[in-house]
Amino acid sequence: MKLSVFMAAIDGKNHTPALDPENIEISGAYVSDMLSDVMGSAKPDQAWITIMKHLNVIAVASMTGVPAIVFSKANQPDDAVCDKALEEGICLISSPHDTFTLAGILYKLLKN
Amino acid sequence: MAEYWYIAEGFEERIDGFRSKKSEAEVDLEFEIPEKDFNTAGKGSSELKNLLKRLGVNSEILRRIAVASYEAEINVAAHSKGGIMHSAVYDELIHIRFQDEGPGIEDIDQAMVPGYSTADDLVRELGFGAGLGLPNIKKNSDAMHIVSAKGNPTVLEFFIYFS
């Protein structure tokens, strides 16, 4: 599924406009706020849904090969985080919804 | 000093052969990892990943190397007084060695248990400290070796083959 479809369904805002969610394919998402859990279990074709938004999150996504991070509960990454994400080619999206709702919406989209 | 060895099934001979041969690395990289500096920790893994990508290493192998080395860098920053990451790239494999300045691991077997962590609040606030660092390194390596003891430096090294 295109990340753009998910972004539209969650009132998402793209914090890395140079990366077009239309060009990013995801097969699902991994949901966790523990960074080592993500590194141990997230797959390279999954979006990562989290409330964590500091710089190490970008490194974790980069090492794991995750193409996009979705910040729940309107968590906004700061400029340094967005710059680093752009450098690594990782799309950052924030949404007002909580993590449960985000995962539920994506689950439903994928099942339809 | 206590010692821990893990060698994935089927890799025993290759690891033995590699260790006895003492071949010269094609590329050597060294990075310093300062204590509790979680922005510098990760630079080594990031640069290594870029280098290996340029060398054409398969993306799944690359992911395993990146995850294992990043976990190890975070471990050095989180738990030690700082240390050095040394990567040696050979034709067939990569050997990455982390040496820190202590204070050492009291019980390596316990440290290997998923979920066991001695991380402090700062580390946990960042979302690290789940007790999955060493298990993740093991999971992604073809072989892993730790030498440590309380009050001593820790040396952790792991080996990942490119095919």
Side-chain angles (χ1 to χ4, degrees):
Chain A
M1 197 186 76
K2 282 181 177 159
L3 181 64
S4 50
V5 175
F6 183 40
M7 190 172 110
I10 58 173
D11 311 311
K13 179 186 165 198
N14 185 0
H15 293 266
T16 45
L19 301 170
D20 189 352
E22 190 74 21
N23 300 329
I24 299 171
E25 277 291 322
I26 53 167
S27 69
Y30 195 74
V31 176
S32 183
D33 299 322
M34 295 304 295
L35 307 193
S36 286
D37 178 37
V38 174
M39 280 195 280
S41 297
K43 308 263 177 340
D45 57 352
Q46 291 175 326
W48 171 17
I49 304 175
T50 183
I51 55 164
M52 301 300 255
K53 55 175 180 178
H54 55 81
L55 212 47
N56 294 99
V57 166
I58 306 303
V60 167
S62 166
M63 301 306 162
T64 316
V66 164
I69 305 172
V70 181
F71 301 106
S72 58
K73 287 168 77 179
N75 274 292
Q76 313 278 326
D78 66 25
D79 291 347
V81 172
C82 295
D83 289 348
K84 184 72 186 157
L86 264 181
E87 206 179 287
E88 299 286 338
I90 296 160
C91 186
L92 302 184
I93 292 174
S94 65
S95 164
H97 299 293
D98 63 22
T99 302
F100 174 77
T101 308
L102 292 178
I105 290 170
L106 180 60
Y107 190 85
K108 223 169 146 188
L109 284 173
L110 289 166
K111 290 291 162 192
N112 286 340
Chain B
M1 296 286 269
E3 195 178 15
Y4 174 92
W5 256 115
Y6 160 75
I7 301 181
E9 217 183 308
F11 283 90
E12 296 86 351
E13 275 181 34
R14 289 170 87 176
I15 292 292
D16 277 354
F18 169 75
R19 294 185 75 232
S20 56
K21 216 164 59 191
K22 301 248 181 279
S23 11
E24 193 122 327
E26 304 278 324
V27 185
D28 278 292
L29 283 179
E30 207 166 90
F31 289 93
E32 211 175 303
I33 309 165
E35 179 180 11
K36 296 279 191 270
D37 180 348
F38 295 99
N39 289 326
T40 301
K43 287 224 163 77
S45 303
S46 183
E47 288 205 20
L48 177 66
K49 185 174 164 237
N50 291 338
L51 168 76
L52 296 176
K53 201 171 178 182
R54 283 201 301 276
L55 295 175
V57 172
N58 161 288
S59 66
E60 175 51 25
I61 304 275
L62 189 59
R63 197 187 67 83
R64 287 172 49 208
I65 295 168
V67 166
S69 71
Y70 188 56
E71 288 281 19
E73 273 195 273
I74 292 296
N75 273 350
V76 171
H79 298 289
S80 82
K81 295 177 215 153
I84 299 281
M85 163 181 174
H86 177 253
S87 313
V89 183
Y90 299 87
D91 270 348
E92 278 185 297
L93 79 159
I94 185 158
H95 170 210
I96 313 183
R97 188 173 186 275
F98 297 83
Q99 171 145 20
D100 68 30
E101 289 161 30
I105 302 169
E106 203 169 331
D107 183 339
I108 301 177
D109 287 328
Q110 192 175 31
M112 288 305 301
V113 174
Y116 177 81
S117 176
T118 57
D120 61 22
D121 288 347
L122 166 73
V123 173
R124 287 175 198 267
E125 267 165 36
L126 288 170
F128 295 110
L132 292 172
L134 290 176
N136 271 351
I137 296 169
K138 179 180 171 183
K139 184 171 149 188
N140 286 295
S141 305
D142 294 320
M144 170 186 179
H145 181 214
I146 304 172
V147 177
S148 189
K150 193 181 177 183
N152 284 281
T154 295
V155 174
L156 177 147
E157 54 185 340
F158 61 84
F159 307 79
I160 297 176
Y161 281 85
F162 298 133
S163 59

